[in-house]
Structures are given as structure tokens and as C-alpha cells.
Amino acid sequence: MAGRIRDEDIDLVRERSPIAEVIGEHLQLRSAGGGSLKGLCPFHDEKTPSFNVTPARGLYFCFSCQEGGDVISFVQKIETLTFADAVERLADRAGIQLRYEQGGQVPGREQGQRRRLLDAHRAAAEFFSERLRAPDAKHGRAFLAERGFGTDDAERFGVGYAPAEWEMLTRHLRSRGFTQEELLVGGLATEGRRGPMDRFRDRLMWPIRDLTGEVIAFGARKLGDGGDGPKYLNTPETPLFKKSSVLYGADLAKREIAQRRQAVIVEGYTDVMACHLAGVPTAVATCGTSFGEGHIKIVRRLLIDADWQKGEVIFTFDGDTAGRRAALRAFSLEERFVTQTFVAVQPDGLDPCDLRLKQGDAAVRDLVAHRVPLYEFAIRSTLDDFNLESAEGQLNALDSAADIVARIKDDGLRKVYAAKIDRWLGLMDPELVLARIGEHLRRGRSHAAGSGARRHQPDVPRRQGRGVRGQVPAERQASEGKSALSYDSADPVANVERQALKLAVQRPALCGPVFDALGESAFTVPVHAAMFRLIAACGGVVGAHSGPDWAGKLRTAAPNDAARAFVTGLAVETLEAPGLDREPDARFADEVIAKVEVLAVARQVAALKSRLQRMNPVEQQPEYNRMYGDLIALEQRRRVLFDKGFGAL
């Protein structure tokens, strides 16, 4: 049995796995200044980005949920892997051959289950793709051609063909060294009366990939009227594939989604293909399930969904009754987005694939361009359910529409839709419409208060007509998390101490011996004093070098997870240096450290004055005079430091 991975190989994996690139495969990152990047945290649901990445130190940290670490711990967390499996995953990505103690290089070493399943799916995707060119796949190629897709298009999206035979894929993968259990667990085979047999037979195959581009499942469409099973068949839930948390085409669309700040949600695999080929490369689709909470999280991370005015999510549905129901289900999730949501429905009921086939690429682009707000679509769809020729029908329609408008958080937007409803119903009485909406609004608030719903909801900003308000900077949210931060980081004294500690972690060369000479008594916050002790125990900043090695040394020496998280937060949090780039210089470092010291000296002065007031200058003259001399010296020292720190405090 192979031993542990060699430490030097682990270090090499970290070195050749740029943390921004690895994390960027799972979420969109944007500059946060000072060499840091920021995005929506993939480990919890949030409305405002608080997930920071600092490439220079190879660390990430979320100032809301307190998750943080290096590139290996990120892969562990995001893919639910052991440490060794995460190292192997990154080594494979970087093309590094790992060596193991107690046995050296072991090519035949048993790999983790996830890696084995991924390899099996990759081999299956290659098999299906090759079989699409075989004579027995003629009807599969014809199916694609009838929908406007050529062989190049199939190759671009990895479309393949599963032969009609019972065990062809199973035999192929077994010959490649994969076990029967792996094929069954991965959903590539199913248990038959005489052993495992192929799950997919005589079907067109679409590989479903995660955000990193790894094949994790397949979507299959039956060819012809015969054969067993449903028309559409997906891989079942497996250790790799959770259909509620995967979007087909997201691996291809993620960069365009980030750049255009747009995500187009379609219903099928061929719709995704049609949109991308027609010039709508932001299209993605669910995999055999309705659009839900897990899909929202993916879209929001790719969009950096934190601004009402930037970005849009567009749902496209068939124009039939089922499509309308799907759009209304999407409306029920609308509040989970910060950005604006829209619906694009073709009046003649054509989906994007059929629309491209019959009217061309421009028609698909026009479909997306002529989107309507999701609120408007939901209201108009509701009004269609009533007979608007009668007064009773108009009033019932008004109540149904008012219930929808009452959910809009922005007062101005509610009034705009109230005016629209009045016009659509032909009431000519906007006051009546506003009154009905007000009744539903009060009823909803009363219900929420009675059920205690608000007390159980996370404290997140609501979407407003002009963006998001009421937001606390991500770094200031840290005190609400699970780390040792139990103080108000908005307090100026605590903030100055924190700035000094951030400098010591991020730019130790700028701090020099002056920082090391401060002493832990210079820090009033207990966790800050503990951090100073940790820095001192690691040799102080004098011998440290800026970069990942110093931050890594502090993280390794931290006594527990809370302390380690605190170090990580200091390492990635943006410094409050002047200038657009937030890059600190020696002058800035001198000012910050001087401010910490002047506050410490001020506390000493106050303590000495208090003691002197309690002393009798006649009876305790020698001690009184000595302490008075100390007071004079401290006052002089405070004035010097005050000038050095610009008297900011």
C-alpha cells in the first residue's frame, strides 16, 4: 500500500495550481483592489460578494461564513474530497506525477472514487463520440441534421451515440480497467439478470459537464419509436451528479455569462446548442428537472449577482401551457436574484432549436432581445385566466394581479405596475388598483409577522429600484461569523490594530523591527494580542518575507481552526492604503504602526495620571517624582508618535 504524498510534491501542486484560476472555474471573480479578487461565496447563499481571493498569498477567505484556506482546501470543500484526493485532483490538472513515501512512485496506486468515476465518464464520452461516426449511428446523425446540426456541431458539444447493443460500453470500459462496481455507482451501467448491462442503448448522448469541464453524467434521447425506456433518460443521482445543482452548458457559457452579465435559461440540450450556434453563448439548461434553488446559486456565482442594475437572467419557455407553468414556477424564485429577471417566449410556441431551424440564427437572437420583465409576464399570464369583459372578472383579475405586485419590494416599481394593470384591465381607476395592492401588501406583512418568517430569514439586503442598500462591507461582517472576532471592527481603535496586523501578515517587510517592538500589550482586542503572540512565536516580521510562505507559516503555527481562519482573513482582506490600487508603502506602514503605538502610550499616560492622583506627593515624594518623570517622557513620546501618525486618531 502506498504511503502519504511527499511534502515537496504537495508544495509543487500548490505552486502550479494558481488559486485564482482554480476558483475561477467555479465562480466569477472581479478585482477588489489591492491585488485581491472578490466573488459570491460558493459555500453559502449571499446577496453581496464577501468571498475574497488573494493570488499573491495563495489564499481565499469568506468574511461572512468564515470559510478560508489555500487552493487544496478549496478543492476539498467544493468537491467534497479528502486532502489526498484534492492533491491528486490538482496534480492531474497541473500534469504533475506524484510520489508517495514507503514506495516511491506508484502508477497503479488505487485512486479515490471520484477520480475513478470521472475517468470512467471521460472514457465513456470518448466512446459515444466515436460511435456517432459508425454506420449504425446513421439515424442519430439524421436526427441532428433534421434539427440543423452538422458533425462539427456535434463534435463541439461532444454529442455521441450509444449503440443498441446490451453490453458494448460495459465491455469497453471493463477492458480499460474499470470495475463493475464503478460502472454501477457511476450510473453508466445497470444491473441485469446476468450482470451489468449498458444503461443507455440506441440513444443520442449529450455529455453533462461540471464547471471545470469534467464529464459527470449524460443526457440521452431515444431514437425511433421502438426500444425500452422513456424518450429522454438522464444519468441517475450519483456521487458525481446531482441534477438539482448542475446546468448543462455552464462550462461553455460561464465566461460569456460573466462578461455579458447575462444568463439565458432554456429547456433542453438542443436548445442550448441552437442558442450558442446562433450567437447567444450565455444559454444553459437544467438536466431533467425544474429550475430550482441549486441552479440559482450557480447562476448567481457566475454573474456575481449583487447589483440590480447590472446583469439579467432570461428564462425562455415554450409558448404552450406547460411553458407558461414553468415560467410561473420561475417567478416564485424571482426574489432569490438581485439582478433583473426576464422571460422570452416565442408567440408561435417554437423553442430556440425549432426557431433557429425555421427562421434562422437572427430569430433566436431576436427572441432573447425582445424579452419582457418576469413580473410583467406573470401579471399578464394571470390576467389571461379571467373573463375581462365582466366587472366580476375584472375585479377577480385585479386581486390576482395585486397579489403578485405586492411581492415587489421597491415602492416605485409597484406604482409603475399598478398603472400598467389599470391600463391592461381598462378600469381607469388607478386609486382602486393601488388600494387593492395595498391590502395584499398589508396582508402579506401581517402573515409574515404572525408566522415569524422574518425572524428566520437571513439578514440580506432586499432588491431596490436603484440597487442594493443597507449593506455592510464584507470585511465588517466577519464579526458576525463563527471565528474568534467578537468585537466591533468598525471601532476606530480595533480597526487600526487590525490594519497593523494585516500589514504584518501581508507586507512584513514594510513593518520592520518597529512592529515586533510593539508588544502584545499594544493591542486591546484579545484576538489581536493573540495574533501578535503568534507572529512573535514565528520569529516576528523581521525575518519574514511577503508572499504565501509567510502566511502559510502563520496558518500552520495557528493553535486551532478559529485562529487559522483569523490569519487567513488578515491575509486576504484588502488594506486601507490610499490610492486606487490600495498598495501600501513604507510611509503608510509607519503611520499605521505609529497610530497603534500612540494609542498604547495614551493608555499608559491615562494609567499613570490615575495613579498620581491617588498618591500623596509629600508622603510618597520619591516614587511620585519618578512616576511624574515617566509621565513627562510618555507625553513627549505620544506627541512624536501623534505627528508621525498624522494625528488621525
Side-chain angles (χ1 to χ4, degrees):
M1 178 179 177
R4 63 190 297 271
I5 303 170
R6 290 189 179 183
D7 290 339
E8 55 265 37
D9 286 359
I10 295 174
D11 293 339
L12 184 62
V13 166
R14 286 195 181 97
E15 179 184 334
R16 296 188 183 177
S17 302
I19 192 167
E21 289 183 15
V22 174
I23 293 179
E25 294 175 349
H26 297 271
L27 62 140
Q28 176 62 19
L29 297 170
R30 295 190 182 276
S31 174
S36 292
L37 304 169
K38 182 176 288 189
L40 289 173
C41 181
F43 304 128
H44 80 288
D45 195 15
E46 61 178 0
K47 289 291 181 78
T48 301
S50 58
F51 184 86
N52 284 45
V53 180
T54 306
R57 281 170 288 284
L59 296 173
Y60 72 91
F61 189 76
C62 176
F63 288 95
S64 181
C65 72
Q66 308 295 296
E67 287 290 347
D70 61 9
V71 66
I72 297 175
S73 64
F74 177 84
V75 173
Q76 275 188 267
K77 178 78 174 177
I78 198 75
E79 298 190 15
T80 318
L81 302 176
T82 65
F83 178 84
D85 285 342
V87 173
E88 290 172 347
R89 169 82 170 83
L90 289 169
D92 183 59
R93 179 184 183 276
I96 297 171
Q97 179 65 58
L98 296 174
R99 295 166 299 171
Y100 301 84
E101 295 179 354
Q102 303 174 11
Q105 181 176 323
V106 187
R109 177 180 181 270
E110 183 181 354
Q111 301 175 34
Q113 182 193 57
R114 180 179 175 82
R115 182 70 263 163
R116 292 284 298 173
L117 295 181
L118 288 172
D119 290 344
H121 278 76
R122 182 190 300 145
E126 294 170 354
F127 172 83
F128 291 140
S129 180
E130 292 174 0
R131 294 301 308 178
L132 184 61
R133 296 190 289 269
D136 61 340
K138 181 179 180 180
H139 57 320
R141 296 191 296 272
F143 178 94
L144 292 172
E146 290 169 0
R147 284 154 182 79
F149 304 122
T151 54
D152 290 343
D153 301 328
E155 187 172 334
R156 173 178 172 180
F157 291 91
V159 183
Y161 172 70
E165 298 186 29
W166 290 93
E167 300 174 2
M168 182 174 282
L169 175 67
T170 300
R171 289 196 304 269
H172 174 75
L173 293 180
R174 290 297 300 273
S175 71
R176 298 280 296 272
F178 296 101
T179 66
Q180 173 179 317
E181 180 183 2
E182 287 167 343
L183 302 187
L184 293 172
V185 170
L188 295 169
T190 184
E191 191 69 71
R193 286 178 293 182
R194 294 182 296 176
M197 61 182 185
D198 295 353
R199 178 178 295 276
F200 305 106
R201 299 183 302 280
D202 195 24
R203 291 177 180 268
L204 273 178
M205 305 296 296
W206 279 266
I208 299 170
R209 297 182 173 92
D210 63 15
L211 289 173
T212 69
E214 295 273 17
V215 179
I216 57 173
F218 291 94
R221 207 274 189 191
K222 184 168 65 173
L223 296 170
D225 298 328
D228 298 328
K231 182 177 180 181
Y232 293 98
L233 179 66
N234 287 333
T235 298
E237 298 270 313
T238 71
L240 294 181
F241 180 56
K242 308 297 179 193
K243 62 183 179 181
S244 62
S245 301
V246 176
L247 286 170
Y248 174 74
D251 59 307
L252 300 174
K254 63 181 181 182
R255 297 194 185 280
E256 291 290 342
I257 289 174
Q259 292 174 4
R260 302 189 185 202
R261 303 299 296 273
Q262 177 198 77
V264 178
I265 316 299
V266 298
E267 291 193 301
Y269 306 128
T270 56
D271 292 332
V272 171
M273 294 175 66
C275 284
H276 281 247
L277 295 172
V280 184
T282 57
V284 294
T286 58
C287 303
T289 185
S290 300
F291 190 82
E293 300 280 345
H295 305 119
I296 290 175
K297 293 179 181 179
I298 298 172
V299 173
R300 294 194 65 240
R301 292 205 310 265
L302 296 179
L303 281 172
I304 307 189
D305 177 30
D307 192 329
W308 185 80
Q309 293 179 315
K310 295 180 181 179
E312 54 187 23
V313 177
I314 303 169
F315 295 92
T316 67
F317 299 103
D318 295 347
D320 57 14
T321 303
R324 178 182 159 189
R325 285 198 302 268
L328 293 178
R329 281 198 304 271
F331 171 74
S332 68
L333 301 169
E334 191 272 345
E335 282 192 347
R336 299 299 308 277
F337 291 103
V338 175
T339 193
Q340 300 178 79
T341 51
F342 298 86
V343 171
V345 177
Q346 184 69 11
D348 55 15
L350 296 176
D351 59 34
C353 181
D354 290 336
L355 181 62
R356 175 176 178 264
L357 183 64
K358 294 184 178 181
Q359 300 182 29
D361 291 347
V364 177
R365 295 194 295 270
D366 288 344
L367 169 66
V368 175
H370 290 91
R371 65 209 179 279
V372 297
L374 186 53
Y375 274 120
E376 178 176 332
F377 179 83
I379 294 168
R380 297 294 293 264
S381 297
T382 296
L383 298 183
D384 289 342
D385 290 336
F386 297 91
N387 177 16
L388 302 183
E389 299 300 322
S390 68
E392 292 81 4
Q394 287 178 324
L395 191 59
N396 289 333
L398 172 58
D399 279 330
S400 293
D403 184 55
I404 295 174
V405 177
R407 305 180 205 176
I408 300 176
K409 301 302 177 184
D410 183 73
D411 293 337
L413 194 59
R414 279 202 302 271
K415 291 178 181 177
V416 169
Y417 275 109
K420 287 179 177 288
I421 292 171
D422 181 55
R423 185 171 68 254
W424 292 334
L425 291 176
L427 295 174
M428 305 298 290
D429 191 349
E431 296 301 324
L432 171 64
V433 177
L434 285 171
R436 288 293 210 206
I437 292 172
E439 290 177 11
H440 284 270
L441 185 62
R442 288 188 294 273
R443 194 178 306 157
R445 288 173 176 170
S446 175
H447 175 73
S451 64
R454 288 190 179 275
R455 290 193 294 272
H456 297 289
Q457 292 176 350
D459 184 17
V460 295
R462 296 295 185 182
R463 191 168 71 188
Q464 305 293 326
R466 292 188 175 271
V468 177
R469 68 182 182 184
Q471 187 59 38
V472 180
E475 290 84 350
R476 299 288 167 81
Q477 297 175 12
S479 59
E480 301 171 8
K482 60 186 179 184
S483 77
L485 282 176
S486 58
Y487 63 91
D488 180 10
S489 57
D491 177 80
V493 175
N495 188 48
V496 167
E497 294 178 8
R498 187 175 178 86
Q499 287 295 315
L501 291 172
K502 286 194 291 184
L503 279 166
V505 174
Q506 298 182 26
R507 300 288 193 276
L510 295 178
C511 299
V514 180
F515 177 88
D516 291 336
L518 284 175
E520 65 178 89
S521 61
F523 296 89
T524 59
V525 180
V527 70
H528 289 174
M531 184 65 204
F532 182 87
R533 290 195 301 272
L534 177 62
I535 292 172
C538 291
V541 299
V542 175
H545 299 282
S546 299
D549 291 344
W550 173 235
K553 183 177 182 180
L554 293 172
R555 280 170 41 83
T556 301
N560 51 52
D561 289 341
R564 193 169 299 108
F566 189 67
V567 173
T568 307
L570 293 176
V572 303
E573 186 175 328
T574 304
L575 286 160
E576 297 178 8
L580 294 177
D581 59 1
R582 296 295 182 95
E583 283 294 323
D585 54 17
R587 181 176 179 179
F588 173 76
D590 288 345
E591 292 172 4
V592 171
I593 295 173
K595 290 172 185 177
V596 174
E597 192 172 1
V598 75
L599 289 168
V601 171
R603 291 192 295 272
Q604 291 178 277
V605 168
L608 269 178
K609 285 182 176 180
S610 178
R611 289 183 62 188
L612 286 170
Q613 288 176 351
R614 296 194 300 271
M615 293 179 69
N616 186 320
V618 177
E619 296 177 0
Q620 299 173 286
Q621 186 176 13
E623 185 179 0
Y624 184 91
N625 290 341
R626 179 183 60 78
M627 292 178 62
Y628 188 78
D630 291 342
L631 177 62
I632 297 299
L634 284 172
E635 288 280 18
Q636 292 174 343
R637 175 65 176 161
R638 181 170 67 166
R639 281 194 293 272
V640 171
L641 291 169
F642 192 89
D643 292 339
K644 190 175 182 180
F646 298 124
L649 297 176

